[in-house]
Amino acid sequence: DQQVKQNSPSLSVQEGRISILNCDYTNSMFDYFLWYKKYPAEGPTFLISISSIKDKNEDGRFTVFLNKSAKHLSLHIVPSQPGDSAVYFCAASASGSARQLTFGSGTQLTVLP
Amino acid sequence: DVKVTQSSRYLVKRTGEKVFLECVQDMDHENMFWYRQDPGLGLRLIYFSYDVKMKEKGDIPEGYSVSREKKERFSLILESASTNQTSMYLCASSRHRTGELFFGEGSRLTVL
């Protein structure tokens, strides 16, 4: 039973446009959410996080939105750049502790020049 | 910067062989983790450790064991490798009570 779901395995976007990556979760106890980016042959790197007390968190070109009632979060990248092409994983935690981090299956983002 | 180093980037082993995957972190993190990454399944937690000589099972511990004799080092052991253990293995570390994991570059294991 996947508690964190990324239903789009892949997404292609034109350079300069907005990329929107989606993530749904089923566990209402999740209260901390993270996005990781992974390039081929490298480990995932932390991108941005959001606590359930917020509905938006911004860091440069990256914004994460959280809709608790819908159990849905999204990552917006504006403007998208070719270097953003990577696999993006969303992850969720029930306690703010990394011990309970549950990952989605990932979305491959391709930004076309 | 945090550095998590995994000893082998690529390994090829035969069914039944014993496999050791080693991981070292240099930031004095309390927590260390072993995940495996498979297409369509994301990252699944095998084992984690929150202190020296302490370990807890993750979601898929069967067929694996771990060892943490020193704070900076966390080893994953496959006692008798099987073909369904062919995967990308990722080690990670974190400070206590934070959600941010720092990952190594991964070890691609192929079991023939």
Side-chain angles (χ1 to χ4, degrees), chain A residues 50-57 63-68:
Chain A
I50 187 166
S51 165
S52 60
I53 62 174
K54 294 184 174 182
D55 54 19
K56 176 182 173 182
N57 189 26
T63 303
V64 57
F65 295 92
L66 176 62
N67 182 333
K68 291 186 287 294

Side-chain angles (χ1 to χ4, degrees), chain A residues 2 32 34 36 38 40-46 87 89 93 96-106, chain B residues 9-10 31 33 35 37 40-43 45 48 50 56 88 90 94 96-101 103-105:
Chain A
Q2 280 192 300
Y32 187 61
L34 307 90
Y36 282 81
K38 185 182 183 302
E42 294 184 12
T45 54
F46 170 75
V87 177
F89 292 99
S93 168
S97 166
R99 299 179 195 181
Q100 298 180 17
L101 214 54
T102 302
F103 283 84
S105 55
Chain B
R9 295 294 303 275
Y10 301 94
N31 298 336
F33 306 81
Y35 286 87
Q37 181 198 354
L41 297 176
L43 278 69
L45 182 63
F48 64 93
Y50 50 88
E56 286 193 27
M88 169 69 82
L90 292 161
S94 75
H96 185 56
R97 297 186 187 282
T98 69
E100 184 179 344
L101 296 176
F103 284 88
E105 292 185 324

Side-chain angles (χ1 to χ4, degrees), chain A residues 16-28:
Chain A
R17 306 294 288 269
I18 184 170
S19 294
I20 300 176
L21 295 95
N22 293 304
C23 181
D24 297 297
Y25 62 95
T26 57
N27 189 341
S28 58

Side-chain angles (χ1 to χ4, degrees), chain B residues 79-96:
Chain B
E79 292 289 341
S80 177
S82 63
T83 55
N84 63 10
Q85 292 179 310
T86 291
S87 186
M88 169 69 82
Y89 290 87
L90 292 161
C91 175
S93 70
S94 75
R95 289 209 181 281
H96 185 56

